[in-house]
C-alpha cells in the first residue's frame, strides 16, 4: 500500500488557494489592514524587491503610492499564467500584489520604498544573460530564448525578510538546476557568483559611489541545484513587473530575502566563494549564508518572530523559514552559527 507523505511545508489540498481566485488580486485584501513595514532608512534589502534593513518604520501608506507601469509588452506574455506546481504550497494566504507592487526596495533607484515608478527605467529588452567562469563553454543567451527553452511553472513560496517581516508570493519561473545543467560546470566549480546590471543612466542610485555596484550575490553549487532554488521570470500569473526584478531574479525561500538577487545579467561559476554586495558593506550582519534562523538574532533585533505583510498578525519564525526538510542537509558539516545566519 502506497502512503504519500506530505512535506513539512505542504498543506492539505482543501486549503490551497485556487489559482483563479488569487489572480483576482484585489480580493486578497480581505478587509485586513496593511502593515506599513520596512525601514525608511538602513541597509540591505530583501530582494523580492520589498525589503530594507535598519529597524525603522516608514510613515507612508504604500497603497497611496503610484504603482510603476510602462507601455512595455513582454515578448513572453503568451507563456503566462504558467501551470501551478502544487508541490510548493504554503499555509498562509498569498500577499496581495496591491501591496507588494507598490512597496518595493531596489537600491539602484533609491533607499526609500516607493521606487516602483523609477524602476520602469530598466530596459528589459534587449537583455542577455552571460554564463562564464568554470564551465565547458562560456555563452551569452538572449533572455527570451532562455525563457522559451525551459518549462515555466508557478510555485507559491514563503519569503522571510531579515527585518522580521514576511510575505507569501506566487512566483513563476524554473528550477535553478536547469540553468546549471545548461551551463555544464567543470568539476572544480563550487560556487555561482551572480550580478545584476550596472547602468547609472537607468538607475540613479548607482551614482552613489559608497555602494559596491553592481549588486552581487553568491550561492554554493549544492544550494543552486537544490529543488527549492528558483529563477523567477514572473509573478502573480504574468511576467514580473520591473520593480520585482525583471526580467530574471532569484528566489531562495529558506534564506533571508537579500540573497534573492534581482535583474540578473551574469552567472559566473567559480571555485572561490563570492563576496556579496551587503557582505562587502557589513559582513558581521549580512553574511554569505543568511539562512533563516529564529535562534540567531540580528545584531539590532530579534529574529524569533515575524509580521505578515498586509495583516497585523505576528507569528513564530521557523528554522530555514519552514523548509528545513529540503535544505538542512546542505549545512550539516558547518558550524551552527555560521551556517544558519552569518
Amino acid at each position: 500500500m502506497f502512503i504519500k507523505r506530505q512535506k513539512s511545508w505542504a498543506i492539505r489540498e482543501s486549503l490551497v488557494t485556487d489559482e483563479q481566485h488569487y489572480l483576482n488580486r484585489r480580493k486578497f485584501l480581505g478587509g485586513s489592514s496593511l502593515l506599513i513595514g520596512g525601514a525608511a532608512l538602513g541597509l540591505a534589502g530583501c530582494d523580492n524587491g520589498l525589503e530594507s534593513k535598519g529597524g525603522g518604520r516608514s510613515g507612508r501608506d504604500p497603497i497611496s503610492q503610484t504603482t510603476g507601469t510602462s507601455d512595455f509588452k513582454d515578448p513572453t506574455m503568451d507563456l503566462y499564467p504558467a501551470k501551478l506546481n502544487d508541490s510548493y504550497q504554503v499555509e498562509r494566504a498569498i500577499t496581495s500584489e496591491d501591496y507588494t507592487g507598490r512597496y518595493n526596495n531596489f537600491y539602484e533607484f533609491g533607499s526609500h520604498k516607493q521606487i516602483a515608478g523609477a524602476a520602469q527605467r530598466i530596459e528589459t529588452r534587449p537583455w542577455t544573460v552571460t554564463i562564464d567562469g568554470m564551465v565547458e563553454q562560456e555563452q551569452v543567451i538572449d533572455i527570451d530564448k532562455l525563457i522559451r527553452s525551459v518549462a515555466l511553472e508557478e510555485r507559491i513560496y514563503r519569503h522571510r525578510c531579515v527585518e522580521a517581516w514576511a510575505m507569501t508570493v506566487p512566483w513563476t519561473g524554473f528550477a535553478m538546476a536547469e540553468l546549471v545543467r545548461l551551463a555544464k560546470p567543470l568539476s572544480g566549480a563550487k560556487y555561482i557568483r551572480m550580478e545584476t546590471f550596472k547602468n547609472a543612466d537607468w538607475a540613479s542610485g548607482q551614482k552613489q559611489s559608497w555602494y559596491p555596484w553592481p549588486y552581487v550575490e553568491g550561492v554554493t553549487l549544492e544550494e543552486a541545484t537544490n529543488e527549492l532554488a528558483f529563477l523567477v521570470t514572473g509573478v502573480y500569473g504574468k511576467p514580473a513587473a520591473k520593480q520585482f526584478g525583471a526580467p530574471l531574479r532569484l528566489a531562495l525561500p529558506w534564506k533571508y530575502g537579500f540573497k534573492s538577487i534581482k535583474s540578473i545579467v551574469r552567472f559566473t561559476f567559480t571555485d572561490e566563494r563570492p563576496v556579496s554586495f551587503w557582505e562587502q558593506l557589513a559582513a558581521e550582519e549580512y553574511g554569505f549564508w543568511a539562512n533563516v534562523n529564529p535562534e540567531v538574532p540580528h545584531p539590532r533585533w530579534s529574529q524569533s518572530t515575524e509580521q505578515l505583510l498586509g495583516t497585523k498578525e505576528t507569528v513564530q519564525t521557523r528554522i530555514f523559514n519552514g523548509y528545513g526538510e529540503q535544505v538542512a542537509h546542505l549545512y550539516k558539516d558547518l558550524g551552527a552559527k555560521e551556517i544558519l545566519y552569518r
Side-chain angles (χ1 to χ4, degrees):
M1 176 176 162
F2 175 73
I3 300 176
K4 182 178 179 181
R5 297 182 182 275
Q6 282 193 315
K7 296 185 177 181
S8 61
W9 39 263
I11 60 172
R12 300 190 307 273
E13 288 188 18
S14 61
L15 296 179
V16 174
T17 305
D18 179 75
E19 182 175 7
Q20 294 304 313
H21 178 71
Y22 77 70
L23 286 176
N24 186 0
R25 296 178 299 279
R26 293 188 181 276
K27 291 184 179 179
F28 277 92
L29 288 172
S32 62
S33 61
L34 294 173
L35 170 67
I36 311 304
L41 296 173
L43 288 180
C46 263
D47 282 323
N48 59 328
L50 286 136
E51 176 187 1
S52 69
K53 300 176 187 170
R57 294 294 177 187
S58 169
R60 301 182 184 181
D61 180 352
I63 294 302
S64 70
Q65 306 301 316
T66 301
T67 300
T69 58
S70 70
D71 295 330
F72 172 72
K73 304 299 182 185
D74 192 291
T76 63
M77 182 69 76
D78 59 297
L79 301 178
Y80 300 85
K83 181 176 175 58
L84 174 68
N85 184 337
D86 58 11
S87 296
Y88 303 96
Q89 301 266 356
V90 300
E91 76 286 359
R92 298 173 182 171
I94 292 171
T95 307
S96 171
E97 189 187 10
D98 287 303
Y99 188 91
T100 63
R102 288 173 166 82
Y103 192 64
N104 312 100
N105 190 62
F106 211 148
Y107 269 72
E108 284 82 347
F109 298 98
S111 59
H112 55 86
K113 296 289 191 180
Q114 290 75 33
I115 54 76
Q120 305 313 306
R121 299 187 187 114
I122 302 174
E123 297 178 8
T124 58
R125 298 300 189 282
W127 191 279
T128 57
V129 175
T130 298
I131 298 175
D132 61 9
M134 299 177 68
V135 294
E136 287 188 8
Q137 183 174 351
E138 295 185 345
Q139 52 189 307
V140 178
I141 307 173
D142 176 77
I143 187 63
D144 295 321
K145 181 178 180 181
L146 175 61
I147 292 173
R148 292 188 181 277
S149 71
V150 296
L152 296 184
E153 62 181 51
E154 186 172 71
R155 298 184 182 185
I156 300 173
Y157 278 168
R158 287 190 296 272
H159 182 98
R160 174 57 157 80
C161 175
V162 74
E163 201 181 33
W165 54 261
M167 66 178 189
T168 305
V169 183
W171 301 116
T172 298
F174 58 98
M176 193 174 183
E178 291 295 316
L179 183 128
V180 174
R181 282 190 281 272
L182 175 67
K184 298 180 181 178
L186 301 179
S187 59
K190 298 179 180 179
Y191 302 94
I192 304 177
R193 178 188 182 276
M194 297 162 283
E195 67 178 59
T196 190
F197 68 87
K198 186 177 181 182
N199 188 327
D201 291 338
W202 298 345
S204 61
Q206 290 187 334
K207 297 176 182 177
Q208 298 170 340
S209 59
W210 54 88
Y211 286 124
W213 306 113
Y215 196 101
V216 169
E217 258 304 340
V219 294
T220 67
L221 204 56
E222 290 77 13
E223 289 174 323
T225 54
N226 182 272
E227 65 166 300
L228 293 178
F230 199 54
L231 285 169
V232 171
T233 63
V235 62
Y236 294 98
K238 58 185 183 293
K242 294 178 180 181
Q243 63 266 33
F244 284 107
L248 186 68
R249 59 155 295 155
L250 182 61
L252 299 172
W254 72 97
K255 292 180 179 288
Y256 291 119
F258 64 88
K259 293 291 291 186
S260 293
I261 183 172
K262 302 186 296 290
S263 300
I264 305 170
V265 299
R266 185 181 298 272
F267 297 87
T268 300
F269 290 75
T270 177
D271 57 0
E272 296 184 5
R273 193 170 97 176
V275 178
S276 66
F277 181 88
W278 290 109
E279 191 177 3
Q280 291 183 63
L281 292 169
E284 72 284 359
E285 298 184 6
Y286 311 118
F288 177 81
W289 299 105
N291 293 321
V292 176
N293 183 3
E295 299 301 321
V296 179
H298 183 278
R300 296 192 298 281
W301 57 81
S302 170
Q303 296 288 11
S304 63
T305 62
E306 60 202 55
Q307 191 161 6
L308 304 184
L309 285 182
T311 78
K312 294 181 178 179
E313 185 178 1
T314 298
V315 300
Q316 295 295 312
T317 295
R318 299 165 66 184
I319 189 80
F320 295 114
N321 202 23
Y323 294 98
E325 181 182 331
Q326 291 72 44
V327 301
H329 67 279
L330 298 174
Y331 311 104
K332 59 183 176 59
D333 295 328
L334 297 178
K337 188 170 183 179
E338 179 186 19
I339 348 169
L340 298 177
Y341 183 70
R342 303 286 193 271

